[in-house]
Amino acid sequence: MQVRESLTEIITSVLRDCAEGKLPPGTAPPPTVIELTRERRFGDYSTNAAMVLSSRINVDPRDLAADLAGKIFEADGGKNLEKVEVAGPGFINFTMTASYWAEALQAVLKEGMGFAEGTVGNGKKVMVEFVSANPTGPLHVGHGRGAVLGDALANLLKSSGFEVQREYYINDAGNQIRTLGRSVYARYLELSGEPGNFPEGGYLGDYIKEFARILLSSAGEKYRQMDSEKAIDEIARYAAERILEDIREDLEEFGVRFEVWFSEKGLFDGGEVRQTLKFLENKGYLYRHEGALWFRSTDMGDDKDRVVIKADGSLTYFASDVAYHRNKFNRGFDRVINIWGADHHGYVARMKAGVQALGRSGDDIQILLVQLVNLLRKGKPVAMSTRAGEFVTLRGVREEVGRDAARFIFLTRKSDSKLDFDLELAKERSNDNPVFYVQYAHARICSILRNACDNGIVESSFAGADLSLLLLPEERELLRHVAALPDVIEGAALAMEPHRLTIYLNAIAATLHSYYNHHRVLTEDPDLTAARLALVVGVRTAIAKALYILGVSAPERM
């Protein structure tokens, strides 16, 4: 049961009545926004609707809030609202009735893990394209953060009623693959006993040397005897394919799976890049200047126009990126979401301009930027050098701390905020470790239920429990957390902020641990015991559901 469904209609109706004749003709009242309160003393939910409307009809916001509060309470008729109060400059705070919470818990007990599935997406098709790392080296810890963000966001959108596809864009065309081939070829020649002339800007690291050793062992002198350009092309294909296999394996082990692996090279081979440029030219978006072909991106808000074909005739990355997005929309997606590293921030405006030139709204593409991960060990930075080819791989982090810890910690901050990841903390079995703290709450409830079973109390008996016996403040808070999950999921999906779920999980786990430490669930009173067992089953379901969306396990024993 989502609070927006039960309150929004009432508030919207009351706002419309209050605004009638006071707004300009054809102007609707502001949309109703209802949010969970940060502190229980302000009730359960709150809206700033009075403040927003008051500025439009020129009345005092507190006076309008008081008027709205009375009318909202009267319109509800005691069904869901226990109290409606005005606070601060004109917030309206709602305290829900005990029957509201009981009804919400009953829905959770009935629906189980099917609880909190929303419909706000209305079946719209969304593509989430993420990771998309060049197949020129292993995934590093920064890729891991983007991978988990994309995967959890796709889960959120699917749980909110969107039709979702995960896609990985393989950058297998262009100079980076050529540079990979030259790097491995140079190491191959060195191992063969002749100077390799390692290319400027070549890829460093032991994996390049390992590829060279494998080639020398399997092919012998073959590549020394070949034309160097042909040898480099063949070696580049071999190395890229091997790296892509490792990337697939790393992501699979990390719980990230893609429905589509899309090849950039396929865009060129199929002629889609040239077709897209022709389309843009026919629309008047391209012009020639100083021997190059330019895209009029300033027409769509970019700070300068962008080159699509250089003076030497070579295509830019932007040209193939526009073609790729034309391909996406031609496949019927209503919206595409790209997850990029923060170093791509200067690319956002031109990409939105490209999409608009294709005839789509700029809102049809949404781009999330992922900030860096500061890797720590006991609070001290882990030394890394990109220049020397020394970096911490995603595989290394996963193998050291485990998939659950890595995924959860990657999602504890908003994507555009830098993240500190302490390897030692992630391995601790303590309350300081956020994933342990949440998973232990789930395992603790499972232990309670096993004890109940040992005492002859079966879980099926909880459904008919008298939930009006749940009178403690902590019980009310747990009920509030459980009932709020559908709204948290919907809000996180629409805002594209999976970290809201880790915040939610920390809060519900903290309340559960405190409740467990101060009160017995299995009491001498069978009716009270049944009610409390029903409550903790609801909490277990909410925790398990949220963890599932994050791709983190919900252990029954720890």
Side-chain angles (χ1 to χ4, degrees):
M1 178 175 58
Q2 292 174 272
V3 70
R4 291 187 181 91
E5 294 176 359
S6 57
L7 282 181
T8 300
E9 186 175 343
I10 292 174
I11 296 172
T12 300
S13 176
V14 171
L15 283 175
R16 190 182 301 113
D17 290 343
C18 287
E20 188 174 357
K22 299 176 184 177
L23 288 170
T27 303
T32 300
V33 178
I34 302 171
E35 297 180 317
L36 283 166
T37 56
R38 294 184 181 274
E39 298 180 43
R40 283 287 289 110
R41 62 193 178 96
F42 295 127
D44 298 310
Y45 298 96
S46 181
T47 183
N48 66 347
M51 291 184 289
V52 177
L53 179 59
S54 67
S55 65
R56 301 187 184 184
I57 62 177
N58 196 28
V59 299
D60 181 81
R62 277 193 64 90
D63 290 344
L64 179 59
D67 185 30
L68 289 174
K71 291 178 178 178
I72 291 168
F73 187 75
E74 181 181 355
D76 176 70
K79 180 183 177 182
N80 294 314
L81 299 173
E82 182 179 294
K83 288 189 297 184
V84 183
E85 299 174 307
V86 177
F91 288 101
I92 303 175
N93 297 334
F94 307 99
T95 300
M96 312 308 290
T97 62
S99 62
Y100 173 88
W101 299 122
E103 184 181 344
L105 180 57
Q106 290 289 3
V108 179
L109 297 176
K110 179 181 178 181
E111 296 172 23
M113 287 293 283
F115 163 63
E117 293 292 309
T119 59
V120 68
N122 199 30
K124 289 184 178 179
K125 293 184 66 176
V126 178
M127 177 201 285
V128 184
E129 184 233 316
F130 57 109
V131 185
S132 298
N134 295 340
T136 53
L139 297 179
H140 56 64
V141 67
H143 293 133
R145 187 180 186 189
V148 174
L149 173 66
D151 192 51
L153 177 57
N155 288 338
L156 275 169
L157 291 167
K158 186 176 180 181
S159 291
S160 299
F162 292 91
E163 183 181 334
V164 184
Q165 177 174 292
R166 296 166 172 84
E167 184 152 308
Y168 188 115
Y169 183 52
I170 307 169
N171 294 274
D172 53 1
N175 290 332
Q176 72 274 12
I177 300 298
R178 185 78 179 165
T179 300
L180 173 67
R182 288 199 300 266
S183 302
V184 177
Y185 182 63
R187 297 304 188 202
Y188 165 84
L189 293 179
E190 289 174 3
L191 291 173
S192 301
E194 63 179 86
N197 295 321
F198 196 80
E200 182 179 354
Y203 293 103
L204 302 169
D206 290 340
Y207 70 100
I208 297 294
K209 297 176 182 177
E210 179 62 22
F211 286 148
R213 281 193 289 269
I214 292 171
L215 287 173
L216 184 61
S217 174
S218 62
E221 299 293 306
K222 172 184 174 181
Y223 296 111
R224 290 179 64 188
Q225 297 167 0
M226 285 177 64
D227 173 77
S228 62
E229 293 303 306
K230 290 183 178 179
I232 288 169
D233 283 343
E234 190 171 314
I235 289 172
R237 286 194 298 272
Y238 160 79
E241 288 171 3
R242 285 290 304 273
I243 290 170
L244 190 59
E245 287 175 11
D246 285 344
I247 288 173
R248 288 176 187 262
E249 183 178 322
D250 276 354
L251 291 171
E252 184 81 17
E253 291 295 324
F254 206 42
V256 178
R257 299 171 182 85
F258 292 90
E259 286 83 19
V260 174
W261 294 74
F262 191 98
S263 167
E264 178 188 13
K265 187 173 181 294
L267 289 172
F268 289 95
D269 293 345
E272 289 189 69
V273 178
R274 293 290 179 181
Q275 291 167 17
T276 299
L277 293 180
K278 188 67 177 176
F279 173 86
L280 294 176
E281 188 173 31
N282 291 340
K283 292 287 186 180
Y285 286 116
L286 302 184
Y287 66 94
R288 294 195 177 274
H289 177 65
E290 296 181 347
L293 189 63
W294 294 72
F295 169 62
R296 301 181 188 278
S297 53
T298 51
D299 288 358
M300 276 74 67
D302 196 6
D303 60 345
K304 60 182 180 180
D305 291 345
R306 306 293 175 174
V307 175
V308 290
I309 300 181
K310 301 176 186 177
D312 64 5
S314 62
L315 290 155
T316 64
Y317 290 122
F318 179 62
S320 56
D321 283 342
V322 176
Y324 176 42
H325 283 79
R326 185 174 182 230
N327 179 286
K328 289 182 178 182
F329 289 118
N330 284 344
R331 282 185 271 159
F333 290 101
D334 299 296
R335 177 160 54 117
V336 298
I337 300 171
N338 297 345
I339 297 178
W340 294 345
D343 56 335
H344 287 71
H345 65 90
Y347 210 79
V348 174
R350 78 186 74 170
M351 198 68 255
K352 281 185 170 289
V355 166
Q356 290 176 34
L358 295 174
R360 304 291 302 215
S361 165
D363 293 334
D364 290 344
I365 178 173
Q366 294 171 305
I367 298 169
L368 298 181
L369 299 178
V370 183
Q371 272 289 355
L372 298 173
V373 177
N374 298 317
L375 210 59
L376 310 173
R377 193 176 294 279
K378 294 184 177 180
K380 296 181 179 179
V382 174
M384 290 187 284
S385 171
T386 304
R387 180 175 293 275
E390 297 170 357
F391 49 86
V392 178
T393 64
L394 172 60
R395 179 174 297 184
V397 170
R398 175 182 56 78
E399 289 177 347
E400 180 171 353
V401 307
R403 184 167 86 181
D404 283 348
R407 288 185 66 111
F408 194 95
I409 293 172
F410 279 141
L411 293 169
T412 53
R413 295 287 183 275
K414 193 175 179 180
S415 65
D416 60 2
S417 300
K418 289 185 178 179
L419 174 70
D420 290 336
F421 190 124
D422 194 307
L423 293 165
E424 296 302 321
L425 178 61
K427 294 185 288 186
E428 284 186 10
R429 295 176 62 83
S430 74
N431 290 343
D432 293 329
N433 179 348
V435 66
F436 177 86
Y437 187 67
V438 170
Q439 287 180 319
Y440 187 55
H442 184 273
R444 173 167 268 174
I445 294 172
C446 292
S447 176
I448 294 170
L449 296 174
R450 285 194 297 271
N451 289 337
C453 184
D454 291 342
N455 284 282
I457 307 173
V458 294
E459 193 167 323
S460 60
S461 67
F462 309 160
D466 182 1
L467 302 180
S468 67
L469 298 173
L470 300 173
L471 301 173
L472 295 172
E474 298 98 318
E475 292 169 338
R476 178 124 181 183
E477 187 69 8
L478 286 171
L479 284 167
R480 180 176 182 259
H481 281 308
V482 173
L485 183 58
D487 290 322
V488 173
I489 290 173
E490 180 179 301
L494 296 178
M496 299 185 294
E497 294 182 347
H499 75 284
R500 294 189 185 191
L501 275 187
T502 60
I503 294 172
Y504 168 85
L505 283 165
N506 183 71
I508 194 172
T511 307
L512 185 279
H513 289 312
S514 176
Y515 178 63
Y516 178 88
N517 291 331
H518 292 92
H519 306 284
R520 294 182 59 192
V521 175
L522 305 180
T523 71
E524 300 299 322
D525 182 340
D527 292 335
L528 180 59
T529 295
R532 289 183 172 179
L533 285 170
L535 172 62
V536 297
V537 167
V539 174
R540 181 190 63 176
T541 302
I543 291 174
K545 180 74 174 186
L547 286 173
Y548 173 79
I549 291 173
L550 298 181
V552 177
S553 69
E556 297 186 2
R557 300 175 188 269
M558 293 182 71

